[in-house]
Amino acid sequence: MIERVPEVEVYALGQHICMSAHKARRVIDQIRGRPYDEILMKLELMPYRACYPIFKLVYSAAANATNNMDFDKTALIISQAEVNEGTIVKKLKPRARGRSYPIKRPTCHITIVLQDISKDKNFYLWLKKRGWIYKEKYIDIQDKYECFLYEAIFGGRMLWANDGCEVLWDKK
């Protein structure tokens, strides 16, 4: 079960989507924890059938964030995403000689929770410890994302200075 903090999070829920929960989880696992702009690009370019309903849910959650809570779309990340199994639609397909074959159409329920990182106090403190906030002002989300990438690629061997333009190398 997903627990939400109502001040900094919004959600969108899609129920009875006609696809297997296993196929939807394959896509959800690739977008969990990523920024909103990157998610839209990834979902448009992935070749899976599950991408379109998930794209619509992410877009709907972002619309909820901007219209209902006045969040900025550039500061949104997917904090939580889950896929649960729904009901199974059972049909009978008529076959030759009066027989019938069962057809099972699985459904799933998808929940997307977007978090505004500019209004979350705990995330703010975490960013400040990591050096991404300087003089109580946020660095652009694109710079943060590039720093995430460099940390992942170089394994923490590259440190960014607080002003965002100077690069310092450590002694590893």
Side-chain angles (χ1 to χ4, degrees):
M1 189 69 185
I2 290 183
E3 295 181 11
R4 293 182 309 277
V5 180
E7 295 85 26
V8 295
E9 291 181 342
V10 292
Y11 74 100
L13 175 66
Q15 292 186 329
H16 305 291
I17 297 172
C18 270
M19 82 179 54
S20 167
H22 179 71
K23 293 177 184 175
R25 278 190 200 110
R26 175 173 58 185
V27 176
I28 287 288
D29 289 339
Q30 295 181 18
I31 65 169
R32 190 178 288 123
R34 306 229 180 223
Y36 171 72
D37 299 333
E38 180 191 347
I39 292 168
L40 293 183
M41 283 191 302
K42 276 191 170 226
L43 288 175
E44 285 180 4
L45 297 175
M46 276 198 268
Y48 304 119
R49 197 186 112 211
C51 291
Y52 184 67
I54 294 172
F55 177 84
K56 284 176 37 173
L57 276 173
V58 170
Y59 197 76
S60 173
N64 291 343
T66 56
N67 293 332
N68 299 343
M69 305 290 284
D70 293 328
F71 291 164
D72 184 20
K73 283 187 178 181
T74 59
L76 292 175
I77 61 168
I78 287 195
S79 62
Q80 299 170 0
E82 74 176 16
V83 180
N84 296 323
E85 291 182 1
T87 58
I88 296 175
V89 178
K90 296 178 182 177
K91 299 179 182 177
L92 291 176
K93 177 137 178 118
R95 303 299 290 179
R97 300 173 65 164
R99 299 179 187 194
S100 62
Y101 287 169
I103 295 175
K104 295 180 180 178
R105 298 286 308 262
T107 61
C108 65
H109 308 310
I110 302 173
T111 306
I112 303 284
V113 180
L114 291 177
Q115 180 181 13
D116 188 4
I117 57 175
S118 66
K119 297 191 177 182
D120 189 8
K121 304 237 184 312
N122 294 330
F123 196 72
Y124 175 80
L125 293 174
W126 184 78
L127 287 175
K128 194 167 185 176
K129 285 180 187 175
R130 299 292 294 254
W132 287 330
I133 298 175
Y134 181 65
K135 293 184 181 175
E136 306 298 324
K137 188 176 180 183
Y138 281 100
I139 295 174
D140 187 29
I141 193 145
Q142 185 67 30
D143 294 338
K144 283 192 287 186
Y145 177 66
E146 288 174 5
C147 192
F148 274 128
L149 283 179
Y150 280 115
E151 275 190 13
I153 292 170
F154 297 112
R157 288 179 290 161
M158 184 172 178
L159 299 175
W160 284 58
N162 283 335
D163 61 355
C165 62
E166 184 179 340
V167 178
L168 300 174
W169 296 90
D170 64 356
K171 306 246 190 301
K172 284 189 179 179

